[in-house]
Amino acid sequence: MATKDENSTVLVRKEQKQAVKPPPMYQVLLLNDDYTPMEFVVAIIQEYFNKDRETATQIMLRVHRDGKGMCGVYPKDIASTKVELVLTHARKAGHPLQCVMEEA
Ligand code: TYC
């Protein structure tokens, strides 16, 4: 924005630095356990993380092998809603599946 001082000199304000950072993003992870059926985990990944069956199977197998695996990256409120939906679904079905979020 341009203004004038008392001598009519045109003063041009320096461009302000961007003050607003993009919101932090959160990874949603599934954790392995010995009891939740593989097929149930695949269905969960398909339903809540919009993956096709093949991708969901790969993610499930990674969790099974490595102990945890990433299902997606989202803004905080969406990540936390997904965690809650997954946990509610798993508990209703009687499975101990664990789902957590961490800053990406
Ligand atoms: N380990 C489980 C089994 O052998 C399968 C499993 C995979 C469980 C991923 C949880 O997040 C998980 N039935």
Side-chain angles (χ1 to χ4, degrees), residues 30-38 41 59-61 63-64 67 97-98:
L30 286 177
L31 307 184
N32 190 35
D33 66 73
D34 293 337
Y35 305 103
T36 305
M38 289 185 173
V41 178
I59 294 171
M60 180 280 294
L61 287 173
V63 177
H64 179 70
L97 180 64
Q98 284 297 336

Side-chain angles (χ1 to χ4, degrees), residues 53-93:
R53 190 172 169 78
E54 213 170 280
T55 306
T57 302
Q58 286 169 4
I59 294 171
M60 180 280 294
L61 287 173
R62 175 170 304 141
V63 177
H64 179 70
R65 191 189 60 205
D66 299 346
K68 64 179 174 176
M70 218 258 287
C71 296
V73 182
Y74 309 95
K76 192 174 198 174
D77 54 341
I78 294 174
S80 106
T81 299
K82 286 186 186 287
V83 169
E84 285 313 310
L85 290 173
V86 167
L87 293 178
T88 299
H89 189 150
R91 293 306 165 269
K92 277 188 179 155

Side-chain angles (χ1 to χ4, degrees), residues 18 20-26 73-77 103-104:
Q18 190 184 346
V20 183
K21 282 195 238 163
M25 300 291 277
Y26 289 78
V73 182
Y74 309 95
K76 192 174 198 174
D77 54 341
E103 198 170 338

